[in-house]
Amino acid sequence: MYKHILLPTDGSKLSEKAVKQCIRLAKSIGARITAINITPEFQMAMDEGFVMPNASLLKKRFEEEAEKRSKKLLDEVKTDAGAAGVDCDSVSVASGAPYEAIIKHAKKEKCDLIMMASHGRKGLSSILLGSETAKVLTHSTIPVLVVR
């Protein structure tokens, strides 16, 4: 059975549901969890010839805030897992392509299952917005368990 589960989380209500389900599953099968939060990379829109003053300060502030939010989110997952008696590590990764970061980290950590939430978008919104879960499902060679 599964021994190491990668748990991507973004702090949304649906993601919180996946966290609870993952902790329950890990406890029942004796697996450990690595929780991962993908933070956005800093990107700055530029106009021809216009350079925003203090751009480096803005980037630093953005990264500090993203890291602070990510740490808080991941600490909550670790606390919940610990309370259930489940071994849980956590990592925060900055990436412009979350699905790629999820798959890359799952391989790096030798996870044998990725368990994540799906927002269940349908129709035009799913085409326009895409789905990181759908991209993970499409590109991962590691089994993926989707929580709805």
Side-chain angles (χ1 to χ4, degrees):
M1 188 46 66
Y2 303 112
K3 299 291 181 203
H4 190 182
I5 304 169
L6 185 71
L7 174 62
T9 182
D10 64 7
S12 66
K13 291 285 183 196
L14 194 54
S15 188
E16 288 175 15
K17 183 178 176 183
V19 167
K20 290 176 185 170
Q21 292 287 330
C22 186
I23 291 170
R24 213 174 304 150
L25 175 65
K27 183 176 178 72
S28 71
I29 62 175
R32 65 188 174 104
I33 297 171
T34 296
I36 186 170
N37 177 247
I38 311 299
T39 60
E41 291 180 330
F42 179 80
Q43 295 180 356
M44 201 157 109
M46 295 204 166
D47 198 357
E48 288 182 34
F50 177 76
V51 178
M52 184 170 193
N54 299 322
S56 62
L57 291 175
L58 184 61
K59 179 181 181 195
K60 182 179 179 194
R61 175 74 188 266
F62 176 87
E63 289 170 348
E64 287 171 353
E65 290 298 319
E67 185 61 33
K68 189 166 98 175
R69 181 186 176 280
S70 185
K71 181 178 179 348
K72 181 179 184 285
L73 173 66
L74 293 170
D75 284 349
E76 289 172 3
V77 174
K78 286 174 71 171
T79 298
D80 291 349
V86 174
D87 184 29
C88 181
D89 291 321
S90 66
V91 64
S92 179
V93 177
S95 176
Y99 81 95
E100 289 176 348
I102 290 166
I103 294 169
K104 181 179 178 181
H105 200 77
K107 288 178 180 176
K108 177 183 170 190
E109 292 295 319
K110 296 181 175 42
C111 295
D112 48 13
L113 179 68
I114 300 170
M115 187 169 177
M116 61 192 302
S118 173
H119 292 281
R121 293 184 183 99
K122 292 182 172 52
L124 187 58
S125 66
S126 71
I127 294 167
L128 295 175
L129 298 174
S131 163
E132 295 306 317
T133 303
K135 291 174 190 171
V136 171
L137 282 165
T138 302
H139 298 284
S140 178
T141 55
I142 298 167
V144 180
L145 179 59
V146 179
V147 176
R148 283 196 141 182

